Amino acid sequence: MASIPVLVVGSVALDDIETPAGHRPECLGGSATYFSVSASLFAPIRLVAVVGEDFPEAHVTALRERGVDLGGLERVPGRTFRWKGRYPEENADAVTLDTQLNVFEHFEPKIPESYRDTPIVFLGNIHPALQYDVLDQISKPKLVGADTMNFWISGEREALVRVIERLDLLVINETEAKQLAGERNVYVAAEKIRAMGPKILVVKRGAYGALLFHPEGLFSCPAVPLRSVVDPTGAGDTFASGMIGSLSESGDFGFASFRRAVQAGTVMASFACEGFSLDRVLTVTRDEFTTRLAQLQAVARVE
Amino acid sequence: MASIPVLVVGSVALDDIETPAGHRPECLGGSATYFSVSASLFAPIRLVAVVGEDFPEAHVTALRERGVDLGGLERVPGRTFRWKGRYPEENADAVTLDTQLNVFEHFEPKIPESYRDTPIVFLGNIHPALQYDVLDQISKPKLVGADTMNFWISGEREALVRVIERLDLLVINETEAKQLAGERNVYVAAEKIRAMGPKILVVKRGAYGALLFHPEGLFSCPAVPLRSVVDPTGAGDTFASGMIGSLSESGDFGFASFRRAVQAGTVMASFACEGFSLDRVLTVTRDEFTTRLAQLQAVARVE
């Protein structure tokens, strides 16, 4: 059975990344980039984003070759959104050294007519007012998911709450879930967030895996054991993409399908960590995915 | 089939504990106390420890009523070992406010003749030189396990390494595993520690569960979802006790039995967190254990 098409709206960026494994200037980045490249392993992906005149044509080609539908990728005058960050240690959070919004500052996502009835929609980590605008432009999808971050939770809380009300699924880091709910206990925080709108909540815990809160139950997914992390940038977006890709394949949003989706997200995020930028995500094959999923399931086996 | 007897050597203490849930002065504590009360749900427990003249007889009675064999519990002149700690927030590490070694300062564990061929031995968190002395007093058991902490890793490293060489199983916190190995990656750290002696390593990750490194494979066990933590004191000792108790029941040290043991430890640790001191551990029934183990397995289910 064919996978359900997925619409993703988010950032496409040029990153400058330092980790204990090295330094990579001027590389491909952005939430929608990681999401669409990774999810294209599973589903037809429709990308809505903006880049500037300086965005290398080679990156556009790489996205196209991966099968991403670029009908919603605008190129406008100015420079591409840039982010510079450093991870002081393995498993540490990034320290942002520089952010240049550039063309992203005046970005207003325009959903092409042909995208408006896409059955699955994922709102990457951008200003919640823009996420809201996207929802106003589309017909009622089967599933609407989103990611967000601490910056919007503290600075744009009201706009964020308005978006969250309209979600079926929120994917969020543990620290940010606690921040959003104003609760130190993750299970209590999850309950409060689900009361705000999304029936389904996935809490990402980095090297500790993820928690799925679903109306039919709770699932605690371990992380893939990684002996080294080259660059964790985009791991969260790649996690979401594996989840959404897996749901797009199954077309089923029940607990068993969501448990499997969280495992798929976990596996895809592990690939993202193994190389700088999208290096590893761009080369992952379906066989590699399947092998690693089996490894993850072996590690999680309780009986 | 009868469970295999277990010998535990460690501390029996009087604690003074502050957590966000309240303050409990002068309560029962100590690594061997938590271990033996909890493990007695599964196996015959032989306790070797020391208390002072001030140790309330009611606590001795509580241990005896739980079925713990107190033939190795010395009562000597002086005051009982005391620890005062505060947990500033839920899931935070304890801040030690005061430690009084008292009778523990000159403690030299003497293993009663009748205990010397106990098939399973667990060395609770005490000075590694004392752990070593215990091993010199016993016949070759089927399984020797131990716990340790940062204090000994930084201050008594040489003595600790000599004990670790002689272990089959080390149970240790993630932060301390990384400290012991001098490695930030937990999987690399585990490999280094296992090269030091113990074929089997369990890394405790608090609210994130535990990792089992066994010659036959790796198992990642989630934590029991707890909506509130009253007092995490003794959770690590209770974890170890559930593990050892489960192994004592199965008499089997293969991967499947150890996976099950880690789950049992996880379940017992969750009970320890639900009350101050040993309040909850002292009341846990076998039925409650079985019910919560099934809940844990449901949360971990991948298929």
Side-chain angles (χ1 to χ4, degrees):
Chain A
M1 206 181 66
S3 296
I4 301 171
V6 175
L7 169 66
V8 59
V9 184
S11 61
V12 173
L14 293 171
D15 287 348
D16 182 309
I17 297 166
E18 288 175 54
T19 81
H23 177 209
R24 181 72 68 90
E26 195 88 2
C27 59
L28 181 58
S31 63
T33 319
Y34 278 98
F35 186 98
S36 55
V37 169
S38 166
S40 62
L41 200 63
F42 305 90
I45 304 301
R46 300 165 178 173
L47 171 65
V48 172
V50 64
V51 295
E53 295 154 319
D54 58 346
F55 191 71
E57 195 55 33
H59 290 338
V60 177
T61 305
L63 288 167
R64 189 176 291 117
E65 283 178 353
R66 197 69 184 184
V68 179
D69 181 339
L70 301 175
L73 181 66
E74 285 183 85
R75 190 188 280 270
V76 303
R79 276 160 61 86
T80 301
F81 171 50
R82 280 161 197 265
W83 177 76
K84 181 173 182 171
R86 179 191 297 143
Y87 300 85
E89 293 178 310
E90 193 177 308
N91 289 330
D93 288 336
V95 178
T96 293
L97 302 175
D98 190 31
T99 302
Q100 298 172 17
L101 288 177
N102 298 331
V103 297
F104 213 72
E105 193 170 354
H106 301 292
F107 176 51
E108 292 176 5
K110 286 177 280 293
I111 310 302
E113 187 62 41
S114 61
Y115 286 8
R116 292 190 180 174
D117 60 352
T118 309
I120 298 182
V121 175
F122 192 78
L123 307 169
N125 172 28
I126 54 175
H127 194 299
L130 300 186
Q131 294 178 319
Y132 195 91
D133 285 349
V134 170
L135 295 182
D136 277 348
Q137 294 178 55
I138 56 176
S139 312
K140 180 73 193 114
K142 290 185 200 299
L143 185 80
V144 177
D147 194 355
T148 192
M149 67 183 293
N150 47 12
F151 187 72
W152 311 122
I153 296 170
S154 54
E156 295 288 343
R157 191 181 176 87
E158 208 173 308
L160 181 60
V161 167
R162 288 178 64 220
V163 173
I164 287 176
E165 276 176 14
R166 298 175 71 179
L167 300 177
D168 302 303
L169 163 69
L170 179 64
V171 184
I172 189 170
N173 284 333
E174 181 164 12
T175 309
E176 290 160 354
K178 291 174 176 176
Q179 182 189 358
L180 177 59
E183 271 292 338
R184 276 191 62 86
N185 182 290
V186 68
Y187 306 100
V188 178
E191 191 173 84
K192 288 198 174 181
I193 293 170
R194 293 172 70 202
M196 294 166 71
K199 296 268 183 302
I200 304 169
L201 175 69
V202 175
V203 176
K204 297 175 287 182
R205 311 176 111 181
Y208 297 109
L211 293 173
L212 162 66
F213 297 87
H214 186 282
E216 295 167 47
L218 172 65
F219 169 50
S220 181
C221 187
V224 171
L226 286 184
R227 292 176 57 90
S228 93
V229 171
V230 173
D231 173 15
T233 309
D237 308 305
T238 312
F239 178 95
S241 79
M243 272 194 65
I244 296 290
S246 176
L247 294 167
S248 147
E249 279 191 343
S250 73
D252 173 354
F253 307 142
F255 189 37
S257 176
F258 253 98
R259 283 204 306 272
R260 168 110 182 173
V262 169
Q263 295 166 51
T266 299
V267 166
M268 292 308 293
S270 76
F271 287 117
C273 294
E274 288 185 329
F276 273 103
S277 178
L278 283 105
D279 289 2
R280 187 69 183 93
V281 179
L282 276 164
T283 67
V284 176
T285 66
R286 191 64 196 224
D287 278 354
E288 287 177 319
F289 167 78
T290 304
T291 300
R292 194 166 289 188
L293 180 62
Q295 286 166 353
L296 178 67
Q297 292 181 333
V299 162
R301 188 176 163 210
V302 286
E303 306 279 348
Chain B
M1 206 180 66
S3 296
I4 300 172
V6 175
L7 169 65
V8 60
V9 184
S11 60
V12 172
L14 293 172
D15 288 347
D16 182 308
I17 297 166
E18 288 176 53
T19 82
H23 177 209
R24 182 73 68 91
E26 194 90 0
C27 60
L28 183 57
S31 61
T33 318
Y34 279 98
F35 186 98
S36 56
V37 169
S38 166
S40 62
L41 201 61
F42 305 90
I45 305 300
R46 299 165 177 174
L47 171 66
V48 172
V50 64
V51 295
E53 295 154 321
D54 58 345
F55 191 72
E57 194 56 33
H59 291 337
V60 177
T61 305
L63 288 167
R64 189 177 292 118
E65 283 178 354
R66 197 70 183 183
V68 179
D69 181 339
L70 300 176
L73 181 66
E74 285 183 84
R75 189 189 280 270
V76 301
R79 275 161 62 85
T80 301
F81 171 49
R82 280 160 195 267
W83 177 76
K84 181 172 182 172
R86 179 192 296 142
Y87 300 85
E89 292 178 311
E90 191 177 308
N91 289 330
D93 288 334
V95 178
T96 292
L97 302 176
D98 189 31
T99 302
Q100 297 171 17
L101 287 178
N102 298 331
V103 296
F104 213 71
E105 194 172 354
H106 300 292
F107 177 51
E108 291 176 8
K110 284 177 280 298
I111 310 303
E113 186 62 41
S114 62
Y115 285 8
R116 292 190 181 176
D117 60 351
T118 309
I120 299 182
V121 174
F122 192 78
L123 307 169
N125 173 27
I126 53 174
H127 194 299
L130 299 186
Q131 293 179 321
Y132 195 91
D133 285 349
V134 170
L135 295 183
D136 277 348
Q137 294 178 58
I138 55 175
S139 312
K140 179 72 192 113
K142 289 184 200 299
L143 185 80
V144 176
D147 195 355
T148 191
M149 68 182 292
N150 48 11
F151 187 72
W152 311 123
I153 296 169
S154 54
E156 295 288 344
R157 193 182 174 87
E158 208 173 309
L160 181 60
V161 167
R162 288 177 66 219
V163 172
I164 288 178
E165 276 177 13
R166 299 175 71 178
L167 300 177
D168 301 303
L169 163 69
L170 179 65
V171 184
I172 189 171
N173 283 334
E174 181 164 13
T175 308
E176 291 160 353
K178 291 174 177 176
Q179 182 189 356
L180 177 59
E183 272 291 339
R184 275 191 64 85
N185 181 291
V186 68
Y187 305 101
V188 178
E191 192 172 81
K192 289 197 175 184
I193 293 169
R194 291 172 70 203
M196 293 166 71
K199 296 267 181 303
I200 304 168
L201 174 69
V202 175
V203 176
K204 297 175 287 182
R205 310 175 111 182
Y208 297 108
L211 293 173
L212 163 66
F213 297 87
H214 186 281
E216 295 168 47
L218 172 66
F219 169 49
S220 180
C221 186
V224 171
L226 286 184
R227 292 176 57 90
S228 91
V229 172
V230 173
D231 173 14
T233 308
D237 308 306
T238 311
F239 179 95
S241 79
M243 273 194 65
I244 296 290
S246 176
L247 293 167
S248 148
E249 280 192 342
S250 73
D252 173 354
F253 306 143
F255 188 38
S257 176
F258 252 98
R259 284 204 306 272
R260 169 109 182 173
V262 168
Q263 294 166 51
T266 299
V267 165
M268 292 309 294
S270 76
F271 287 117
C273 293
E274 288 184 331
F276 274 102
S277 178
L278 282 106
D279 289 2
R280 187 69 182 94
V281 178
L282 276 164
T283 67
V284 176
T285 66
R286 190 65 196 223
D287 277 354
E288 287 177 319
F289 168 78
T290 305
T291 300
R292 193 166 288 187
L293 179 63
Q295 286 167 353
L296 179 66
Q297 292 181 334
V299 162
R301 187 176 164 210
V302 287
E303 306 278 349

